[in-house]
Amino acid sequence: MLRRLRKFALLMASLTFLAACQTELYTNLSEREANQMLAALLEQGITAKKSTVGDSLFSVVVPNDDVRDSLTILD
């Protein structure tokens, strides 16, 4: 039981660390705007994601290492 608990704690810590390695580029976007940005980034090989911010509002998230390239692509 203790072994499983340790494995679970390690998994949760890893997920938290990985989630912190992302940067929200733009937020409060319409779904259409977010989809257009997402398509442009994915086309250039950037691993981007769209996430829900609120009612019909979205954000575009990229890995920290890709922020500069992402902003250049979207400029």
Side-chain angles (χ1 to χ4, degrees), residues 3-16:
R3 189 175 187 163
R4 283 187 178 178
L5 194 55
R6 284 183 189 163
K7 284 184 179 181
F8 180 74
L10 180 60
L11 175 65
M12 295 309 293
S14 297
L15 290 175
T16 302

Side-chain angles (χ1 to χ4, degrees), residues 51-63:
S51 62
T52 305
V53 176
D55 293 339
S56 301
L57 293 176
F58 298 86
S59 66
V60 174
V61 180
V62 298

Side-chain angles (χ1 to χ4, degrees), residues 22-29 37-38 41 46-49 51 58-75:
Q22 304 269 320
T23 298
E24 220 175 50
L25 285 185
Y26 294 97
T27 192
N28 295 328
L29 301 167
M37 290 181 180
L38 188 63
L41 293 170
I46 303 291
T47 306
K49 294 188 303 185
S51 62
F58 298 86
S59 66
V60 174
V61 180
V62 298
N64 288 346
D65 292 343
D66 293 331
V67 171
R68 185 181 353 175
D69 291 339
S70 298
L71 291 172
T72 300
I73 291 165
L74 295 175
D75 185 27

